[in-house]
């Protein structure tokens, strides 16, 4: 085994410029393939997340001037009451205010979640703490609200709410009544406000949407814009163009890898002609054909493996730092383990395919032919 490894390294060093060229080629192909695959899996993840949402309509709030007005709230308690009236009690409002607390050498990130306690049959005299925050329950985090601390009901604690832009695990939250939003007016950013509806529970969803949007624009239209939309339908409409772009990049990377495969096959077939005598000497000295296969496969898998590692790393960096404006703004592009597994499979398939063709060619030759002895 050690001898085979030394021979592989010797051959790689002897053809160092050719080895570098092949590594660079496979790295380019794998990096683009990794990037396009991560885009694909990120889009699929977003589609699955939206399908898991209990409600299909959401409120989008945006600033008109790009800066938050000093004394203007995007949504008030009075607005919520009016919207509930217009939607016949079918509106679900929750405001997720991020918080941070340090205690006993540990840092706790949490969300102060303002919700309608009546919809969850919770007592308005209490603040309900998620299981991940039990260690800091009883601290003076909520002293200004005058609420008693209580553990969150187990069924509620296990829930994860899939909003239109994020996932909220209730075990990391403190629930307080939505009526306390007046206590923290001026501190609530519009992006923390989530309001949703289930269109199937409403008699005339489209007409109700118009009324709610008209009301909000009348009340706050000078500073904010309001739009009620269907996240799943909007994502579907946008994703068709996104998928076309991703497929184009993916097909380009696959075509490039196919060209790399053909190029490597040609190179190693030429190298085989160059190394015939060396193979013949090895066989004549008692080497097993499987040993030679290991040498051939070892050389090819080293080149492809090294190129795949570099390409995968570059592809991951592209995933997090290269923005080609392909994805819609609210889709988070992240790496996926399945992409790395695909990279490894491509590496193995290319290496085995080339190795087997060279090995079959080697087995068809007799020792005297390899040694060029007539």
């Amino acid at each position: 085994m050690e001898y085979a490894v030394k021979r592989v390294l010797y051959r790689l060093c002897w053809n160092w410029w050719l080895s570098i060229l092949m590594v660079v080629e496979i790295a380019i192909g794998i990096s683009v393939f990794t990037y396009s695959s991560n885009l694909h899996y990120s889009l699929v993840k977003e589609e699955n997340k939206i399908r898991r949402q209990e409600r299909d309509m959401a409120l989008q709030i945006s600033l008109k001037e790009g800066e938050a007005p000093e004394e203007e709230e995007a949504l008030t308690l009075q607005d919520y009451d009016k919207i509930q009236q217009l939607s016949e009690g079918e509106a679900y409002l929750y405001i997720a205010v991020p918080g941070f607390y340090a205690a006993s050498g540990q840092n706790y990130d949490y969300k102060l979640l303002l919700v309608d306690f009546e919809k969850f049959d919770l007592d308005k005299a209490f603040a309900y703490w998620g299981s991940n925050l039990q260690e800091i329950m009883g601290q003076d985090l909520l002293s200004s609200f005058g609420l008693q601390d209580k553990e969150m009901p187990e069924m509620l604690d296990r829930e994860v709410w899939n909003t239109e832009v994020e996932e909220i695990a209730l075990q990391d939250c403190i629930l307080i009544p939505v009526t306390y939003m007046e206590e923290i007016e001026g501190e609530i950013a519009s992006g923390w406000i989530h309001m949703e509806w289930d269109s199937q529970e409403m008699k005339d969803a489209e007409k109700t949407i118009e009324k709610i949007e008209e009301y909000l624009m009348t009340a706050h239209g000078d500073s904010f814009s309001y739009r009620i939309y269907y996240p799943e339908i909007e994502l579907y409409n946008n994703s068709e163009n996104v998928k076309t772009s991703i497929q184009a990049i993916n097909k380009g990377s696959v075509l490039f890898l196919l060209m790399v495969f053909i190029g490597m096959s040609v190179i190693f077939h030429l190298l085989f002609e160059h190394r015939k005598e060396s193979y013949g000497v090895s066989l004549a000295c008692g080497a097993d054909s499987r040993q030679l296969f290991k040498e051939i496969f070892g050389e090819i898998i080293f080149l492809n493996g090294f190129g795949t590692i570099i390409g995968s790393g570059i592809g991951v960096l592209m995933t997090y730092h290269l923005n080609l404006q392909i994805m819609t703004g609210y889709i988070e592009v992240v790496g996926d383990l399945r992409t790395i597994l695909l990279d490894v499979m491509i590496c193995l398939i290319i290496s085995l395919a080339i190795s087997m063709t060279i090995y079959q060619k080697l087995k068809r030759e007799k020792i005297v032919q390899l040694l060029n002895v007539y």
Side-chain angles (χ1 to χ4, degrees):
M1 184 66 181
E2 184 180 350
Y3 173 73
V5 171
K6 286 181 178 179
R7 281 175 64 87
V8 167
L9 293 177
Y10 170 77
R11 286 172 177 169
L12 290 171
C13 292
W14 187 70
N15 294 310
W16 63 269
W17 61 272
L18 197 57
S19 300
I20 291 174
L21 177 62
M22 286 189 281
V23 167
V24 170
E25 287 178 343
I26 194 73
I28 292 173
I30 288 293
S31 64
V32 178
F33 178 80
T34 300
Y35 178 62
S36 62
S37 296
N38 282 335
L39 290 178
H40 168 75
Y41 286 125
S42 297
L43 179 61
V44 171
K45 181 181 177 182
E46 185 67 24
E47 289 175 335
N48 292 335
K49 187 186 83 170
I50 288 180
R51 290 191 190 101
R52 292 196 302 268
Q53 289 183 220
E54 294 182 21
R55 291 165 283 277
D56 60 346
M57 296 193 306
L59 172 67
Q60 183 184 64
I61 305 174
S62 56
L63 292 170
K64 280 191 172 180
E65 301 298 329
E67 294 183 2
E70 294 182 1
E71 298 181 356
E72 180 75 23
E73 294 296 320
L75 194 78
T76 66
L77 189 59
Q78 290 74 25
D79 294 333
Y80 176 57
D81 291 337
K82 179 63 176 179
I83 292 170
Q84 281 286 58
Q85 179 184 345
L86 292 172
S87 57
E88 299 180 349
E90 295 300 329
Y92 285 79
L93 171 68
Y94 38 105
I95 303 172
V97 181
F100 173 82
Y101 184 77
S104 304
Q106 293 189 16
N107 299 325
Y108 298 87
D109 292 310
Y110 66 91
K111 289 188 184 295
L112 185 63
L113 205 60
L114 289 80
V115 299
D116 190 338
F117 273 29
E118 292 183 2
K119 291 185 178 294
F120 299 97
D121 197 25
L122 298 175
D123 192 333
K124 294 181 180 179
F126 292 93
Y128 293 86
W129 293 67
S131 57
N132 287 348
L133 304 174
Q134 296 298 315
E135 293 184 14
I136 60 172
M137 190 171 73
Q139 303 296 329
D140 294 333
L141 291 174
L142 307 176
S143 57
S144 60
F145 297 108
L147 295 169
Q148 301 179 56
D149 296 325
K150 192 172 185 178
E151 294 183 8
M152 193 180 298
E154 185 177 351
M155 289 187 63
L156 198 59
D157 183 74
R158 291 199 299 263
E159 290 189 12
V160 177
W161 291 353
N162 297 299
T163 75
E164 68 279 9
V165 294
E166 64 177 331
E167 291 185 348
I168 300 176
L170 296 194
Q171 60 186 4
D172 297 319
C173 297
I174 306 172
L175 304 186
I176 65 172
V178 72
T179 51
Y180 282 88
M181 64 187 293
E182 294 182 336
E183 304 287 333
I184 53 176
E185 282 185 351
E187 300 179 21
I188 300 175
S190 58
W192 301 343
I193 301 171
H194 306 278
M195 188 176 289
E196 301 173 353
W197 296 264
D198 184 350
S199 61
Q200 295 182 354
E201 299 295 329
M202 302 169 69
K203 292 181 180 178
D204 190 341
E206 297 303 322
K207 189 174 182 180
T208 302
I209 287 173
E210 291 179 8
K211 289 181 179 179
I212 294 172
E213 289 178 337
E214 183 180 351
Y215 165 77
L216 289 171
M217 290 301 295
T218 301
H220 309 282
D222 293 337
S223 304
F224 297 94
S225 294
Y226 300 87
R227 182 173 72 99
I228 298 174
Y229 68 106
Y230 295 83
E232 185 172 359
I233 295 175
E234 186 159 300
L235 178 62
Y236 175 80
N237 293 334
N238 292 331
S239 65
E240 291 306 303
N241 294 328
V242 172
K243 287 177 181 177
T244 301
S245 300
I246 293 173
Q247 287 172 0
I249 297 174
N250 192 263
K251 288 178 181 177
S253 66
V254 171
L255 180 61
F256 187 86
L257 287 170
L258 181 60
M259 293 173 63
V260 170
F261 168 72
I262 295 172
M264 289 186 73
S265 297
V266 172
I267 289 171
F268 274 95
H269 277 81
L270 291 174
L271 288 174
F272 172 80
E273 298 297 326
H274 208 60
R275 297 170 178 172
K276 268 187 174 184
E277 189 173 343
S278 174
Y279 290 138
V281 170
S282 296
L283 290 171
C285 292
D288 189 88
S289 59
R290 286 178 295 182
Q291 271 185 299
L292 295 181
F293 172 76
K294 289 178 183 178
E295 289 181 22
I296 297 168
F297 179 72
E299 184 178 1
I300 297 172
I301 194 66
F302 183 89
L303 293 171
N304 284 335
F306 195 49
T308 298
I309 292 171
I310 295 173
S312 296
I314 295 173
V316 171
L317 289 175
M318 291 168 63
T319 298
Y320 289 97
H321 300 289
L322 179 62
N323 184 5
L324 297 180
Q325 302 297 325
I326 294 174
M327 305 295 261
T328 54
Y330 52 86
I331 297 178
E332 182 184 9
V333 181
V334 295
D336 194 284
L337 179 61
R338 287 171 291 183
T339 299
I340 304 301
L341 295 177
L342 285 173
D343 292 345
V344 173
M345 286 179 60
I346 290 172
C347 173
L348 289 173
I349 290 171
I350 291 177
S351 300
L352 280 171
I354 297 174
S355 301
M356 287 302 298
T357 56
I358 300 298
Y359 179 66
Q360 291 299 323
K361 193 172 184 179
L362 177 64
K363 289 196 72 175
R364 285 196 297 267
E365 300 275 354
K366 296 180 180 180
I367 294 178
V368 292
Q369 292 175 320
L370 294 171
L371 293 173
N372 198 22
V373 177
Y374 296 97

